[in-house]
Amino acid sequence: MTDATPSTIDSADSDQAPDYDAMTRDIADVPAVEVITTVAVHLLSAAAVNLGLDKPDSEHKDLDEARKLITALAGLVTASATEISSFHAAPLRDGLKSLQLAFREASIVPDEPGQGPGEKFTGPVYA
């Protein structure tokens, strides 16, 4: 048994509290390419979930939301491609094209080529 009472345990824990200021990263220290790719991955993931691609028997499908997310992703990838280099842009373009094709496949009435989500930025997407 120990002599520690609840009050001495609480005070010991407060002395060991983590320094959150030291642990947080200042946004100014984050390279632009990291911010852009992180946002793109979030858009990719959210669009995939709204297309029902997150799990094999997913019942969640919201094509209206997916269209918005894919269009935003297409704008981001197209606008930032020259800034983030092809090393970073190429996989994002591949993911974007996959989402655009998945959207076309999931649609009951597919959009005309060039009219699908994000195609005003990327051009028509064909299989």
Side-chain angles (χ1 to χ4, degrees), residues 5-60:
T5 62
S7 62
T8 58
I9 292 172
D10 290 340
S11 65
D13 287 342
S14 65
D15 292 340
Q16 301 296 327
D19 182 8
Y20 290 110
D21 290 334
M23 293 171 54
T24 51
R25 198 166 154 194
D26 189 8
I27 193 72
D29 297 335
V30 181
V33 68
E34 189 175 329
V35 173
I36 292 166
T37 55
T38 299
V39 169
V41 168
H42 283 288
L43 290 168
L44 276 162
S45 298
V49 168
N50 281 293
L51 287 172
L53 302 175
D54 57 330
K55 46 190 165 183
D57 296 327
S58 179
E59 293 180 17
H60 179 80

Side-chain angles (χ1 to χ4, degrees), residues 32-102:
V33 68
E34 189 175 329
V35 173
I36 292 166
T37 55
T38 299
V39 169
V41 168
H42 283 288
L43 290 168
L44 276 162
S45 298
V49 168
N50 281 293
L51 287 172
L53 302 175
D54 57 330
K55 46 190 165 183
D57 296 327
S58 179
E59 293 180 17
H60 179 80
K61 240 182 215 183
D62 189 337
L63 297 183
D64 185 50
E65 289 294 302
R67 178 183 293 276
K68 293 171 188 172
L69 293 162
I70 294 168
T71 300
L73 175 63
L76 176 64
V77 170
T78 302
S80 64
T82 58
E83 303 296 327
I84 63 174
S85 80
S86 61
F87 176 77
H88 295 285
L92 295 176
R93 281 192 195 111
D94 291 343
L96 171 60
K97 183 177 180 182
S98 295
L99 288 173
Q100 289 171 313
L101 291 171

